[in-house]
Amino acid sequence: MDGNGRWAELRGLPRSEGHKRGVERVSEITRAACGLGIKTLSLYAFSLENWNRPESEISVIMNLLETFLINDLDNFMKESIRFRMIGNRDKLSAHIRDLIEHVEKTTEANARLVVHCALSYGGRDEIIRAVRKLLQADTPIEEITEERLACLMDTAGAPDPDLIIRTSGEQRLSNFLLWQSAYSEFLFTSTLWPDFTREEFLEAIYQYQMRDRRFGKVKDGKIQCS
Ligand code: IPE
Ligand code: MG
């Protein structure tokens, strides 16, 4: 969800206004995902690297997150949305961590849509934490498999993302779901996140549906080399 700051700066507004507008898009896109029957929606809200931003901006984002979690819990329950945080919890304040755990627990049994909120998240960090868990459990070398590692990632139990959309014109992954994105389709749009509407989301899904996913195989029906 990139481009909140630029959206605000373009309008001569403080960056916080862009983040506020960004939260509104989260609600809209989550509703749209529910309507489409999407089962998992992962939102990159705050990276581990984002901790290097000025204290004042971090506090705006954390306050918005808090308000979002408090305000949207009712809606999660009404729409049967399960909320799950992915990322490194150590750096979060105890208050935010407790609130996240509360929302995760309350929504645990909801099954219509799982929303992964990537917070204090870094793909490399997630892999390192998973490897540490393997070592802590004295896992025998021959039992170290892709499946086993996948079960130790923050996304354990969730399918790999089919489509990754990046807004704001940047064409990079920025440490997002490095392990899980091995065969994801990518879509880059120059739209800034606060302008990313339901219509553009639907268009992105439509584009995705026209992709030819082969997963390294040859296309069905193609003559095989003997
Ligand atoms: C995305 O918008 C939100 C967060 C990373 C928290 P940015 O804040 O990165 O916006 P730009 O990239 O500066 O426009
Ligand atoms: Mg950015």
Side-chain angles (χ1 to χ4, degrees):
M1 301 189 287
D2 199 13
N4 293 352
R6 277 164 284 170
W7 182 91
E9 282 158 17
L10 276 169
R11 289 162 177 77
L13 298 168
R15 291 174 61 85
S16 55
E17 285 304 311
H19 294 311
K20 272 188 209 152
R21 217 11 212 265
V23 178
E24 290 170 23
R25 293 284 87 80
V26 169
S27 303
E28 180 177 335
I29 298 305
T30 306
R31 257 197 316 277
C34 268
L36 287 172
I38 287 171
K39 303 306 287 179
T40 313
L41 178 71
S42 303
L43 300 165
Y44 201 1
F46 192 82
S47 71
L48 268 180
E49 292 77 18
N50 286 153
W51 287 114
N52 298 316
R53 291 192 179 194
E55 197 76 53
S56 53
E57 182 163 344
I58 296 175
S59 118
V60 163
I61 294 169
M62 291 300 149
N63 286 339
L64 283 170
L65 172 73
E66 183 181 347
T67 312
F68 169 76
L69 289 173
I70 294 170
N71 288 348
D72 276 50
L73 183 53
D74 273 357
N75 187 50
F76 290 159
M77 299 312 287
K78 222 168 38 221
E79 301 289 340
S80 191
I81 296 170
R82 179 180 175 191
F83 177 90
R84 203 178 171 202
M85 174 195 149
I86 59 171
N88 191 322
R89 295 178 190 231
D90 296 347
K91 286 181 175 261
L92 295 169
S93 73
H95 172 66
I96 290 279
R97 209 164 44 224
D98 289 350
L99 179 60
I100 287 169
E101 275 168 25
H102 170 66
V103 176
E104 285 180 326
K105 274 229 157 60
T106 312
T107 62
E108 203 167 34
N110 294 349
R112 186 171 173 206
L113 170 73
V114 181
V115 170
H116 284 154
C117 183
L119 250 187
S120 189
Y121 178 88
R124 288 184 173 180
D125 173 74
E126 185 190 27
I127 294 168
I128 292 290
R129 286 187 286 106
V131 170
R132 286 190 180 147
K133 286 179 215 161
L134 277 180
L135 295 178
Q136 260 156 11
D138 285 328
T139 314
I141 280 179
E142 61 279 7
E143 285 180 26
I144 300 179
T145 60
E146 291 188 13
E147 290 72 24
R148 188 80 183 260
L149 201 57
C151 287
L152 295 171
M153 305 297 267
D154 297 341
T155 51
D160 287 340
D162 290 311
L163 172 65
I164 294 184
I165 302 170
R166 177 153 190 168
T167 57
S168 90
E170 311 296 359
Q171 299 188 25
R172 54 177 174 262
L173 205 45
S174 299
N175 211 0
F176 186 56
L177 298 179
L178 297 183
W179 170 269
Q180 299 87 339
S181 62
Y183 267 99
S184 300
E185 295 293 324
F186 287 84
L187 190 138
F188 298 101
T189 168
S190 57
T191 304
L192 303 172
W193 175 253
D195 289 330
F196 190 78
T197 56
R198 177 179 183 275
E199 286 66 37
E200 190 165 354
F201 183 56
L202 297 183
E203 177 61 30
I205 302 295
Y206 179 64
Q207 294 290 328
Y208 163 78
Q209 287 173 332
M210 294 194 292
R211 300 277 177 95
D212 179 21
R213 302 186 79 191
R214 295 185 299 280
F215 298 95
K217 302 175 197 152
V218 289
K219 226 178 152 153
D220 285 348
K222 279 256 163 77
I223 298 163
Q224 307 281 324
C225 299
S226 52

